[in-house]
Amino acid sequence: MGTRKLGRNSSQRRALLRGLTTDLLWYGKITTTEARAKEIRGIAESLLTLAINEYDKTVKVKKTVNDVDEDGKVKKDKDGNPIKIEVEFENDAPSKLNARRKIMAYVYDVKEQRKDGEDKDAFVARTKDVKHPLVEKMFREYGPKYRARNEEKNCAGGYTRIIKMGPRRGDNAEEVIIELV
């Protein structure tokens, strides 16, 4: 089964679908034409399924590192050797890392916006460990939300809803709102 051409060549069509999918996942709701909405529905649901299946898969890793003081200098023992300490990290499991990379390969990178009344220091503190906000939103917010929904309803899929708005003024194209349920 083929895909809709949407009146564009393949590179423009791919860019359009990537942009619409990114906006849908970031904002949760967009207005577009019916043909575009039907195309991005499948793409968005497959990306959400990746996040839902993999969001809680992590592994604990122990790593030996040099101990440092407040100034960032390495602490040394009596003999002048650096003092080693063992630190435990929580990393993504290989399957979660693969899912994260697949999502990052498709969606565009969205910059986190400052909230109303938020000063620069609070914004930097809130976003310092987040390099890809949309991917983090999918794994931290959408993954748990839709996994609970799937278990409650005992089904999978159906994460988007298309609501018809009527014809657009000008070219009479059928406009719809596509949103995450």
Side-chain angles (χ1 to χ4, degrees):
M1 185 168 115
T3 59
R4 292 171 180 83
K5 302 237 185 245
L6 303 175
R8 289 171 166 69
N9 63 35
S10 62
S11 62
Q12 291 174 352
R13 185 170 51 248
R14 180 169 163 76
L16 173 77
L17 295 175
R18 284 179 70 190
L20 287 172
T21 304
T22 301
D23 286 345
L24 174 64
L25 294 173
W26 183 248
Y27 297 109
K29 177 184 197 178
I30 59 171
T31 303
T32 185
T33 63
E34 186 176 13
R36 291 176 184 175
K38 286 181 178 179
E39 276 300 304
I40 65 172
R41 175 177 47 192
I43 298 165
E45 291 204 7
S46 65
L47 294 175
L48 283 168
T49 301
L50 275 174
I52 292 162
N53 292 338
E54 303 294 334
Y55 82 91
D56 59 348
K57 296 184 179 171
T58 58
V59 293
K60 294 196 182 222
V61 179
K62 291 184 180 178
K63 188 175 183 181
T64 306
V65 295
N66 292 334
D67 193 13
V68 293
D69 56 12
E70 294 88 27
D71 300 332
K73 296 181 181 177
V74 177
K75 293 181 182 177
K76 301 196 179 209
D77 60 6
K78 297 181 227 172
D79 301 331
N81 298 327
I83 299 173
K84 304 276 185 184
I85 58 170
E86 196 168 281
V87 181
E88 191 169 298
F89 294 100
E90 193 167 300
N91 284 346
D92 291 345
S95 61
K96 182 177 178 181
L97 183 60
N98 183 34
R100 184 181 296 273
R101 287 177 177 165
K102 282 181 181 178
I103 292 169
M104 286 170 51
Y106 193 80
V107 298
Y108 288 121
D109 206 15
V110 179
K111 286 189 176 182
E112 183 74 44
Q113 298 294 319
R114 263 172 141 173
K115 295 182 179 173
D116 292 336
E118 184 178 36
D119 64 339
K120 185 176 180 181
D121 295 332
F123 173 73
V124 170
R126 181 172 60 89
T127 60
K128 73 177 183 180
D129 64 334
V130 179
K131 292 182 182 172
H132 305 282
L134 177 57
V135 178
E136 292 303 320
K137 183 175 188 174
M138 289 182 70
F139 281 103
R140 292 180 184 172
E141 189 178 318
Y142 295 149
K145 174 184 170 184
Y146 289 119
R147 167 92 52 92
R149 179 181 177 269
N150 288 349
E151 290 170 357
E152 176 187 315
K153 293 194 171 202
N154 198 20
C155 67
Y159 309 121
T160 57
R161 174 186 303 133
I162 295 178
I163 303 167
K164 292 188 178 186
M165 292 175 47
R168 180 166 59 195
R169 192 172 171 192
D171 64 354
N172 208 30
E174 186 69 30
E175 268 196 323
V176 298
I177 295 174
I178 182 168
E179 61 186 3
L180 298 175
V181 177

